[in-house]
Amino acid sequence: MKEVEYFTWILPPSVWNKKPYPSRWKMTAEEAAGYGAISRVDASREVRLQGETPEEEAERQRGMLTNAWQSKGPKTLE
């Protein structure tokens, strides 16, 4: 697993906003560059674990399931 940093970013003015404004969702630096972000809000830093391979990512997501019907199966007492 690798750690990926996400931030709220300050985005440039748009049709709906006359001044630069903070993004409504957190993005990585690469995603923010695609939106033309001006700067990041350092206080909004969030670190998320991400699988390095598709199999590792699928295993991580399975581990986060909360519904009983989605879990790996019933635990038996022995």
Side-chain angles (χ1 to χ4, degrees), residues 11-67:
L11 300 175
S14 67
V15 174
W16 298 278
N17 298 303
K18 305 240 184 251
K19 298 179 182 178
Y21 62 99
S23 63
R24 289 179 278 161
W25 62 93
K26 294 188 178 189
M27 301 180 269
T28 63
E30 294 81 21
E31 292 170 325
Y35 287 96
I38 299 169
S39 64
R40 67 181 189 201
V41 179
D42 288 329
S44 68
R45 181 177 181 258
E46 181 178 305
V47 178
R48 299 180 191 172
L49 289 177
Q50 188 173 16
E52 296 184 34
T53 63
E55 295 81 18
E56 199 174 66
E57 181 63 19
E59 181 62 32
R60 184 190 68 81
Q61 288 182 1
R62 269 195 300 277
M64 294 176 15
L65 297 176
T66 58
N67 293 335

